[in-house]
Amino acid sequence: MDYREVTGKREFVARLGHGADWRSEIESLAEDEGVESAWFVAMGAVQDADVWFYDQDEKEYREVSFDEPLEVASCVGNVSLLDGEPFAHTHAVLSRQSGQALAGHLDSATVFAGEVYMRTFEEPLVREHDEPTELDLWL
Amino acid sequence: MDYREVTGKREFVARLGHGADWRSEIESLAEDEGVESAWFVAMGAVQDADVWFYDQDEKEYREVSFDEPLEVASCVGNVSLLDGEPFAHTHAVLSRQSGQALAGHLDSATVFAGEVYMRTFEEPLVREHDEPTELDLWL
Amino acid sequence: MDYREVTGKREFVARLGHGADWRSEIESLAEDEGVESAWFVAMGAVQDADVWFYDQDEKEYREVSFDEPLEVASCVGNVSLLDGEPFAHTHAVLSRQSGQALAGHLDSATVFAGEVYMRTFEEPLVREHDEPTELDLWL
């Protein structure tokens, strides 16, 4: 395990734009405020969602698209630098009218309504290629 | 997107009362401490749950009731003022003994055991009617 | 309900060790840094997972084992003292390639990749036997 102490710098609440992309909105906040590292939690609803699952054997993401309205029952993620740009690594749990839950890495989703809390840190987080997982990881 | 910087004021941990209502307990903490804006994360177990899904076409909530014991695998939400009173907008992911996950907007649930972390802000969040979604949103 | 105000002391970000146990890694961070109370949120992927469901009638945990790769779509928990040692009470929502979500109390899981944010408090949280639930609860 690698860990480091961080120092909270500034914190934000956001209401994501209706019709915009969920993850791009979070990255847009980071860009506008010069945020290079942060954690966030969020909730709301989306009009559709592309969810990714990492194939740990083949080392590739597999996508599932849900072209239907869904609640965002939980959204947890962090902001770091990937290739010099703020990247919002975003995981989400979504739900259907029946209460059935769907979940995974959230690549994109059209916002219906979204509420976000973001806590930023002074210390940057920078993603780099990680050998055993073939993912871009920080620390 | 609308966002604003906020300033953390005070933070609390709570153990929700066995047999009480999950969301009312969180609102009770806010009322007792004069909290007008906050974010919280929580976990635990409930004896039953009423979960809502927003029908984005009809602009109405649909309810599903689960009259069975469930784990609260994730609970994320925020406190804001709605009609002058603290309202805990609460989303949750619940689970059955099989591991099956259910999720949505948590209207009410009978606490079996509940653990909450709440971070409050100096700046109030006030919900008002939003035209495109017909929801009460802040900012 | 019982609650108390807490004072944030230090905060950490961690990358969990590939192949290590998810919960042990979090407890290891707490032990290394002398953390007796904290809340955390996390995300990532695991190679397998043992998930518990509390049988509220029989007052016993039931385990379900998933021997397959899963995304960690949400992980919420807290650190407290249990029998004098840091214990990471950990709930998680996991997902399969289809997007199907599984969830519950996370007893153990083999880390594929894991990212954690932990906020620690000055005031200790100590778990003690609770009569109505027969769980070890703090406050």
Side-chain angles (χ1 to χ4, degrees):
Chain A
M1 178 176 48
D2 294 298
Y3 69 86
R4 76 163 76 168
E5 188 166 352
V6 290
T7 312
K9 197 176 184 180
R10 294 190 299 160
E11 47 196 343
F12 299 91
V13 295
R15 186 182 68 175
L16 303 182
H18 180 71
D21 178 62
W22 186 278
R23 182 163 66 82
S24 300
E25 286 283 89
I26 295 171
E27 291 172 352
S28 177
L29 193 172
E31 282 160 23
D32 288 358
E33 296 293 330
V35 172
E36 298 188 344
S37 69
W39 272 80
F40 58 85
V41 293
M43 63 193 292
V46 292
Q47 301 174 50
D48 52 49
D50 286 347
V51 171
W52 289 7
F53 175 90
Y54 194 65
D55 184 323
Q56 301 179 195
D57 292 322
E58 298 297 326
K59 308 286 193 290
E60 286 178 349
Y61 277 110
R62 309 297 181 190
E63 179 172 291
V64 188
S65 292
F66 297 102
D67 188 18
E68 57 184 307
L70 298 159
E71 295 288 308
V72 179
S74 168
C75 177
V76 169
N78 56 67
V79 174
S80 59
L81 290 182
L82 177 65
D83 301 328
E85 300 290 329
F87 168 68
H89 185 204
T90 307
H91 280 199
V93 186
L94 310 166
S95 65
R96 289 175 161 149
Q97 186 169 331
S98 64
Q100 184 191 6
L102 307 164
H105 174 111
L106 189 74
D107 181 53
S108 64
T110 306
V111 175
F112 182 78
E115 302 176 344
V116 178
Y117 165 66
M118 180 186 288
R119 181 166 178 79
T120 75
F121 308 118
E122 287 187 20
E123 300 78 8
L125 290 172
V126 180
R127 289 189 183 272
E128 290 176 10
H129 186 76
D130 175 66
E131 200 51 56
T133 63
E134 294 189 25
L135 288 168
D136 294 308
L137 302 179
W138 40 252
L139 282 181
Chain B
M1 177 176 50
D2 294 297
Y3 70 85
R4 74 163 76 168
E5 189 165 351
V6 290
T7 312
K9 196 175 184 180
R10 295 191 297 161
E11 47 195 345
F12 299 91
V13 295
R15 186 182 67 174
L16 304 182
H18 180 74
D21 178 63
W22 187 278
R23 182 163 66 84
S24 300
E25 286 284 89
I26 295 171
E27 291 172 350
S28 176
L29 193 171
E31 282 160 23
D32 288 359
E33 296 292 329
V35 172
E36 298 188 344
S37 69
W39 272 80
F40 58 85
V41 293
M43 61 193 293
V46 292
Q47 301 174 50
D48 52 50
D50 287 347
V51 171
W52 289 6
F53 175 90
Y54 194 65
D55 184 323
Q56 301 179 197
D57 291 321
E58 298 297 325
K59 308 284 192 291
E60 286 178 350
Y61 276 110
R62 310 296 181 190
E63 179 173 293
V64 188
S65 291
F66 297 102
D67 188 19
E68 57 185 304
L70 298 160
E71 295 288 308
V72 179
S74 168
C75 177
V76 169
N78 56 69
V79 174
S80 59
L81 290 182
L82 177 64
D83 300 328
E85 300 290 328
F87 168 67
H89 186 204
T90 307
H91 280 199
V93 186
L94 310 166
S95 64
R96 289 175 161 149
Q97 185 169 332
S98 63
Q100 183 191 9
L102 306 164
H105 174 110
L106 189 74
D107 181 53
S108 64
T110 306
V111 175
F112 182 77
E115 301 176 346
V116 179
Y117 165 66
M118 181 185 289
R119 181 165 178 78
T120 75
F121 307 117
E122 287 187 19
E123 300 78 8
L125 289 172
V126 181
R127 288 189 183 272
E128 290 176 9
H129 186 76
D130 175 65
E131 198 53 56
T133 63
E134 294 189 23
L135 288 167
D136 294 308
L137 302 179
W138 39 252
L139 280 181
Chain C
M1 176 176 49
D2 294 297
Y3 69 86
R4 76 164 75 168
E5 189 166 351
V6 290
T7 312
K9 197 175 185 180
R10 294 190 299 160
E11 46 195 345
F12 300 91
V13 294
R15 187 181 68 175
L16 304 182
H18 181 73
D21 177 63
W22 187 278
R23 182 164 66 83
S24 300
E25 286 284 87
I26 295 171
E27 290 172 351
S28 175
L29 194 171
E31 281 159 24
D32 288 358
E33 295 293 329
V35 172
E36 299 188 345
S37 69
W39 272 79
F40 58 86
V41 293
M43 61 193 294
V46 292
Q47 301 174 49
D48 52 50
D50 287 348
V51 171
W52 290 6
F53 175 91
Y54 194 65
D55 184 322
Q56 301 178 196
D57 291 322
E58 298 298 326
K59 308 284 192 290
E60 285 178 351
Y61 276 109
R62 310 296 181 190
E63 180 172 291
V64 188
S65 292
F66 297 101
D67 188 19
E68 58 185 306
L70 298 159
E71 295 287 308
V72 180
S74 168
C75 177
V76 169
N78 56 67
V79 174
S80 59
L81 290 182
L82 177 65
D83 301 328
E85 300 290 329
F87 167 67
H89 185 204
T90 306
H91 280 200
V93 185
L94 310 166
S95 64
R96 288 175 162 150
Q97 186 169 332
S98 63
Q100 183 191 9
L102 307 164
H105 175 110
L106 190 74
D107 182 53
S108 64
T110 307
V111 175
F112 182 78
E115 302 176 345
V116 179
Y117 165 66
M118 180 185 287
R119 181 165 178 78
T120 75
F121 307 117
E122 287 187 18
E123 301 79 8
L125 290 172
V126 181
R127 289 189 182 272
E128 290 176 9
H129 185 77
D130 174 66
E131 198 52 56
T133 63
E134 294 187 26
L135 288 167
D136 294 307
L137 302 179
W138 40 253
L139 281 181

